[in-house]
Every structure is written in C-alpha cells, then in structure tokens.
Amino acid sequence: MEEQKEFMREAIRLSIENVESGKGGPFGAVVVKDGEIIARGMNKVTDSNDPTAHAEVVAIREACEKLGSFQLEDCEIYTSCEPCPMCLGAIYWARPTKVYYANTKKDAAEIEFDDNFIYEELDLPVDSRKLPTIQILRDEALVAFRKWRESTDKIEY
C-alpha cells in the first residue's frame, strides 16, 4: 500500500500545483504501469479552453500516446478526486485494471464542482432532459453502423 500512497501523493501534488499556477481546477491524475508513472495530467479546462481537459482525460491521452494503444492494459489510474461522469466514462473505455481516488465527489461539490446534475440527467429519458436532445436522420446514420458490422478491416474496441 505504500507504493499506492506515493502514486496518489503525486496526483495530489499535481492538483495543488495546478491551483498555485492558476492554470486550472484542483485536480491531478497519474497513470501507472509496472510500478512506474507513465503519464501525468492536471486539469487544463480554463487554460486550454477545452471542457474535456480534465486531469484524468489529460493523463489517459498522454499514457495512450506513450503506449501506442487506445487501452491502458495493466495500468492503474490515481486521481486526486473521485472521477466525474465524463472521466469515469473515459476511464471505463481506457480499461485500466484499477482506479484509486482521494477526494470524493461530495468534497468536490462543497467547493462548487458539483456533477450530481449530470448523474440525475443521465437517469432521465432523453426527451425529459434539460438539454434539448433531438434525434434526426437515423436511417442515414445507420449506414455507418451497418458498414462497421460488415467490415473485416475494423479494429474492435
């Protein structure tokens, strides 16, 4: 457990550094493979004008580039805060073996990083959500899905 604590301390250090630098929110993450940190991420949402540039996503992107893979096989992610819905989705898609976190989503909500409204929206039927979400041109879009299903050249993930 000492090794895990050291990796988490690095994620926490990144979160503090990010606040002190004024470059983004108080979030940091690292990706670990075979006992070594292979990628680091800090929240860069305001610095890069990218709402998807959360610490976990930044670290996942860096790790995947370094590994030359779209999956984090045999990797662990350490994040200074319980992942938001977007990051949790990205983590599941990246398929690490474990995720460790420090602060909770309740801790984040207490400093006005509250993602609970997203969790609530996801539970609602599409037509009941606050963000109008309207389906159009499904038949045309299904062509790509049929081509994918029939393709022998695809890399499944």
Side-chain angles (χ1 to χ4, degrees):
M1 190 52 110
E2 273 312 303
E3 187 176 59
Q4 287 86 1
K5 288 179 182 177
E6 287 307 308
F7 296 139
M8 183 58 75
R9 285 187 181 105
E10 177 61 5
I12 293 167
R13 184 192 70 74
L14 291 169
S15 71
I16 294 168
E17 178 184 317
N18 211 43
V19 173
E20 292 173 346
S21 73
K23 291 186 176 181
F27 305 98
V30 298
V31 177
V32 174
K33 183 171 176 112
D34 299 327
E36 278 187 48
I37 295 174
I38 63 165
R40 290 172 170 79
M42 293 186 276
N43 179 285
K44 295 181 177 183
V45 170
T46 57
D47 190 46
S48 65
N49 293 318
D50 179 354
T52 68
H54 291 199
E56 297 92 333
V57 172
V58 171
I60 288 168
R61 288 174 181 164
E62 183 180 305
C64 287
E65 186 173 328
K66 184 171 186 174
L67 295 172
S69 174
F70 54 83
Q71 294 184 344
L72 297 178
E73 190 173 320
D74 299 321
C75 293
E76 298 174 342
I77 296 177
Y78 293 78
T79 179
S80 65
C81 187
E82 186 175 357
C84 75
M86 177 186 70
C87 291
L88 188 58
I91 289 166
Y92 270 97
W93 280 114
R95 294 177 174 87
T97 57
K98 284 185 186 156
V99 178
Y100 296 87
Y101 67 94
N103 292 320
T104 66
K105 61 185 177 183
K106 184 176 184 281
D107 296 330
E110 289 175 4
I111 61 163
E112 298 182 19
F113 284 94
D114 190 357
D115 300 320
N116 197 49
F117 78 97
I118 297 172
Y119 289 108
E120 290 171 357
E121 285 282 297
L122 290 172
D123 283 339
L124 295 174
V126 173
D127 61 354
S128 298
R129 294 180 185 162
K130 289 182 180 120
L131 178 65
T133 307
I134 302 137
Q135 183 181 29
I136 61 172
L137 298 179
R138 178 174 180 254
D139 289 339
E140 291 179 34
L142 281 172
V143 172
F145 281 17
R146 281 193 291 275
K147 287 183 179 290
W148 173 261
R149 184 180 54 227
E150 296 163 4
S151 175
T152 57
D153 261 353
K154 64 188 170 201
I155 297 173
E156 295 192 25
Y157 57 98

